[in-house]
Amino acid sequence: MDNILIIEDEEKISEVLKAYLQKEGYGVYSTTKGMDGIKLFQKIGFSLVILDLMLPDISGEEVCSLLRKISEVHIFMLTAKSTLEDRIEGLNLGADEYLVKPFSPRELTARVNALFRRLNINNRETKVYNNGDLEINYENRIVKVKGHEISLTPNEFDIVHVLSSNEGKVFTRENLIERIMGIDFQGFDRTIDVHIKNIRKKIEEDSKNPKYIVTVTRIGYKFGGD
């Protein structure tokens, strides 16, 4: 059973989400405070954290940053903050999805189900590039650069996975959003650009002149140069 942690100070929202997700067969735990959520996360293995940004003790952004220091767990942010800058900040902190309140519990549940369907696809292949400078282990979701394991968020790894397993194929931003986040994703095109920028900082020797994840002007991205 996949466990989900809800960190949400509005108990009515938390109760509704819990009911929907438990009906789908997930183990669901909830708390109203950020630090209580961190403590619970350290005791129990979670596959997903649903995180409100407006918490009574510490901000959801702080919780996200703390979780990213200790885990690559998937994080769905819930917030009333809806500006483009807020969304980009959330993605840069390591969130995988950013849902603006009010939202449909049915939609969130559908996105959770889509996430776990993707995670349960087992790919045992490992690929090595540039004489071992870059290594991608699909089964264990591990990426190494020059022998050193690097930390990618779940969505960042999924982007690397899609592009590298289709080397040379050009994907539009819309293609990647559909493959990574699902066809019903209601975000914005720059979501992919933010993730790509962060990935390049981690795997490219020169992020301004990438050799792995390459921009195809006015179209999108592909893996590998000409």
Side-chain angles (χ1 to χ4, degrees), residues 159 162-163 169-183 189 192 219-221:
I159 290 171
V162 169
L163 292 174
K169 180 179 178 179
V170 179
F171 286 83
T172 66
R173 290 168 179 79
E174 292 77 14
N175 291 153
L176 290 171
I177 285 173
E178 183 175 332
R179 291 284 291 270
I180 305 304
M181 294 132 183
I183 194 168
D189 287 350
I192 293 297
I219 302 177
Y221 300 98

Side-chain angles (χ1 to χ4, degrees), residues 78-126:
L78 307 180
T79 178
K81 299 178 180 180
S82 60
T83 69
L84 178 62
E85 290 73 21
D86 290 327
R87 290 170 180 264
I88 291 175
E89 180 185 2
L91 294 171
N92 281 332
L93 285 171
D96 299 290
E97 290 215 30
Y98 194 101
L99 285 78
V100 178
K101 295 179 178 179
F103 59 87
S104 162
R106 290 178 60 189
E107 178 191 355
L108 185 141
T109 302
R111 292 193 185 197
V112 170
N113 288 337
L115 166 68
F116 286 114
R117 282 197 300 270
R118 295 199 306 270
L119 293 180
N120 290 331
I121 295 174
N122 188 19
N123 189 329
R124 299 183 177 275
E125 189 175 3
T126 297

